[in-house]
Amino acid sequence: MTIFAEGKQEQELTSDWQARDHRHYLHPFTDHRELGNKGTRIITAADGVYIRDSGGSEILDGMAGLWCVNLGYGRQELIDAATRQMQQLPYYNSFFQTAHPPVIELSTLLNEVSPPPFKHTFFTGSGSEANDTVVKLVRRYWDLLGMPGKRVIVSRINAYHGSTVAASTLGGMSEMHKQTGVLLPDVEHIEQPYQYELSGGLSEAEFGLQQAGLLEQKILELGAENVAAFIGEPVQGAGGVIIPPETYWPEIQRICRQYEILLIADEVITGFGRLGEWFGSQRLGIEADLMPFAKGVTSGYLPLGGVLVADRVADVVIARGGEFAHGYTYSGHPAACAVALENIRILRDEGIIERVRDDTGPYFNRRWAQLADHPLVGEARSIGLMGAIEIVADKIRKERFPKDLGAGAICRDFCFDNGLVMRAVGDSMIVSPPLVMVRKQFDELVEKAWQSLDLTAKTLGQAL
Ligand code: PXG
């Protein structure tokens, strides 16, 4: 896999790449001064569940890229599908009463793998655009039903729904709200079902009902005639893998039905197998009206997103609504659709999602739970192939380290140096491995995480 450039080895090029990266490239969600001092890690190649950096280190990718490389790296079938489609028809739009075979085939296949009410898909280039689309679909739906007053979308603190203005408004990240300035009106946030931080001694079941009840309180406060929809990730991802108690989603569902509010399950991370079902909603018993997706639909090989639209909404907006004034140049991009088709076929024909459900998922859950025995770990939780551990100074009292020590960032850096990608959200460490990871690689993941925690404990011990 060694790649040479201009006859020089990657290692020799690293400092030049880092210098030019610093001079010219604006990274997403990055403090550039800090990065400039440290130097960017340059990733040059990947195969299976490993990435490789320009220093020649092989690193186990515990994050599947950014929650997306579900099939792992180097699947020739996906590369061939993109190549064939680019040769045949690299681009065409579907704005003016046209379409092309890949987008039609993909819409059909998505209907086959999703729950029965989802027969239509609107395509976008990303998850953020999918959530912008959701806002417009929701508003259009209630307008067409003669209830334009139903405008408010209720979301959750610490949710992540993307980075465009609409999607960052829907999300519940306070730093993003501050920097965005003018936010979309008519979006409200309720507290999240984060048991480790917020349960205050309630049982898991009680806490789930209590947090879902916050939606009912919000609806009563605003008046149901003003509330259009509730949006939530089945399991919050970027917020720190927040797994809701089992009582949470059924109660949310009941409330949405009772007050006639659309339910949006943001499946951008949980779609396409991450929880051992095609969609996280199926694992958690959610019957949503809209399901935005992205990431795993192409295993990240090409950018593609979209919204699965249930009949309840499609019958109004598409069948009765005239023109829906919304669309993107890359809605249903042929090459991205061709990759998605092949990706979904492989997930289905190789039984990868069933394997996550019946074998690798439970194995990962057992191994991951063992991290709770580490002195630094307050909780180790996981569901399907999503996991989090809470780094704490005192396990019994659930006491955190002082924020400025950056315990999570220290651990993340040790992981990288130890050959493992594990992401830090504050002092929560999270993973979301490729769905093709095998038992021996989960063992490696957990062993490397443990070693990195040991080193983190040592460093923090010295710092305290
Ligand atoms: N919804 C959810 C649930 C997501 O996780 C988006 C929407 C937006 O998708 P796009 O394709 O527009 O990025 C996401 C994206 C992180 C991280 O730090 C997570 C995401 C994106 C970037 C960083 O964990 N999720």
Side-chain angles (χ1 to χ4, degrees):
M1 278 211 310
T2 308
I3 294 165
F4 292 88
E6 294 165 5
K8 283 196 270 178
Q9 286 214 322
E10 288 171 5
Q11 215 157 341
E12 292 168 33
L13 288 173
T14 300
S15 56
D16 178 52
W17 276 330
Q18 286 174 328
R20 284 189 286 142
D21 175 80
H22 187 55
R23 275 203 302 277
H24 302 298
Y25 179 36
L26 277 178
H27 291 234
F29 281 93
T30 295
D31 177 338
H32 282 81
R33 198 166 341 152
E34 187 192 316
L35 180 65
N37 292 334
K38 207 167 163 188
T40 309
R41 188 184 293 264
I42 314 285
I43 308 302
T44 52
D47 193 29
V49 296
Y50 293 90
I51 58 170
R52 205 196 57 210
D53 70 16
S54 59
S57 303
E58 268 204 2
I59 306 166
L60 183 65
D61 186 4
M63 280 306 295
L66 201 48
W67 319 85
C68 56
V69 188
N70 288 8
L71 280 188
Y73 300 92
R75 287 297 300 231
Q76 192 59 40
E77 302 94 317
L78 302 195
I79 300 160
D80 291 343
T83 308
R84 272 196 311 271
Q85 187 55 46
M86 285 195 193
Q87 286 163 341
Q88 173 83 24
L89 179 73
Y91 176 77
Y92 205 72
N93 70 75
S94 19
F95 275 55
F96 311 116
Q97 305 189 343
T98 56
H100 46 74
V103 78
I104 297 167
E105 282 177 32
L106 180 58
S107 311
T108 311
L109 187 58
L110 284 169
N111 172 216
E112 284 169 26
V113 300
S114 61
F118 293 96
K119 297 194 187 66
H120 289 86
T121 305
F122 188 96
F123 289 102
T124 69
S126 68
S128 300
E129 288 174 357
N131 280 320
D132 278 44
T133 304
V134 157
V135 172
K136 293 195 191 178
L137 279 170
V138 164
R139 302 253 159 98
R140 181 92 180 124
Y141 173 79
W142 291 115
D143 280 352
L144 286 164
L145 286 181
M147 287 181 259
K150 272 174 105 63
R151 301 257 322 155
V152 177
I153 300 177
V154 181
S155 179
R156 300 178 295 180
I157 292 167
N158 200 32
Y160 189 80
H161 295 298
S163 210
T164 54
V165 173
S168 46
T169 309
L170 286 179
M173 303 285 178
S174 53
E175 202 49 39
M176 289 177 82
H177 288 178
K178 261 191 257 160
Q179 292 190 20
T180 306
V182 180
L183 297 169
L184 203 69
D186 299 322
V187 176
E188 297 273 339
H189 293 86
I190 58 173
E191 192 51 270
Q192 58 187 327
Y194 188 178
Q195 204 185 348
Y196 186 73
E197 279 288 329
L198 304 173
S199 72
L202 287 183
S203 74
E204 185 171 335
E206 286 167 339
F207 178 68
L209 291 176
Q210 173 189 281
Q211 295 310 87
L214 298 175
L215 174 61
E216 189 158 31
Q217 282 171 31
K218 182 58 82 180
I219 293 168
L220 294 173
E221 177 193 317
L222 296 166
E225 68 283 9
N226 298 314
V227 182
F230 174 77
I231 183 167
E233 305 149 78
V235 174
Q236 279 165 265
V241 181
I242 313 296
I243 305 167
E246 277 181 19
T247 49
Y248 181 78
W249 276 110
E251 182 63 1
I252 291 281
Q253 183 89 56
R254 180 195 69 74
I255 295 166
C256 287
R257 288 215 176 105
Q258 178 174 340
Y259 296 97
E260 287 201 50
I261 284 161
L262 293 176
L263 179 51
I264 306 152
D266 182 339
E267 295 274 4
V268 168
I269 284 176
T270 50
F272 304 97
R274 183 138 303 281
L275 301 187
E277 298 284 347
W278 281 96
F279 295 92
S281 295
Q282 294 164 303
R283 168 80 190 258
L284 299 177
I286 305 167
E287 289 177 17
D289 299 299
L290 295 166
M291 296 201 298
F293 65 85
K295 295 190 188 272
V297 67
T298 58
S299 283
Y301 280 48
L302 281 178
L304 183 73
V307 184
L308 278 152
V309 184
D311 293 340
R312 171 182 175 183
V313 178
D315 289 349
V316 175
V317 176
I318 301 169
R320 286 204 269 137
E323 180 180 315
F324 177 45
H326 179 71
Y328 304 101
T329 302
Y330 301 122
S331 285
H333 189 285
C337 288
V339 170
L341 271 169
E342 196 57 33
N343 180 61
I344 293 171
R345 279 194 202 120
I346 293 173
L347 284 171
R348 187 187 59 191
D349 296 350
E350 294 187 4
I352 290 170
I353 297 176
E354 289 80 359
R355 203 165 73 218
V356 170
R357 184 189 63 203
D358 300 332
D359 180 46
T360 52
Y363 184 75
F364 163 68
N365 302 144
R366 279 199 302 279
R367 292 291 278 124
W368 187 256
Q370 290 163 358
L371 291 170
D373 294 337
H374 194 280
L376 219 52
V377 174
E379 180 179 76
R381 58 177 179 271
S382 66
I383 180 169
L385 292 188
M386 292 173 88
I389 50 182
E390 303 283 2
I391 295 184
V392 287
D394 186 321
K395 283 164 86 107
I396 312 288
R397 290 200 217 102
K398 292 187 172 180
E399 241 168 56
R400 299 277 184 184
F401 285 99
K403 238 192 181 141
D404 56 331
L405 284 183
I410 292 172
C411 184
R412 179 200 57 209
D413 289 351
F414 277 128
C415 285
F416 246 125
D417 293 343
N418 258 333
L420 170 66
V421 181
M422 179 154 77
R423 200 163 118 34
V425 178
D427 288 351
S428 309
M429 304 306 301
I430 60 178
V431 291
S432 157
L435 308 188
V436 292
M437 210 177 246
V438 296
R439 287 180 174 222
K440 150 166 128 337
Q441 293 159 339
F442 286 114
D443 293 340
E444 181 186 340
L445 187 156
V446 170
E447 277 153 27
K448 285 184 166 166
W450 187 284
Q451 288 158 8
S452 307
L453 285 162
D454 278 349
L455 293 166
T456 308
K458 241 192 209 163
T459 305
L460 290 170
Q462 281 155 7
L464 281 174

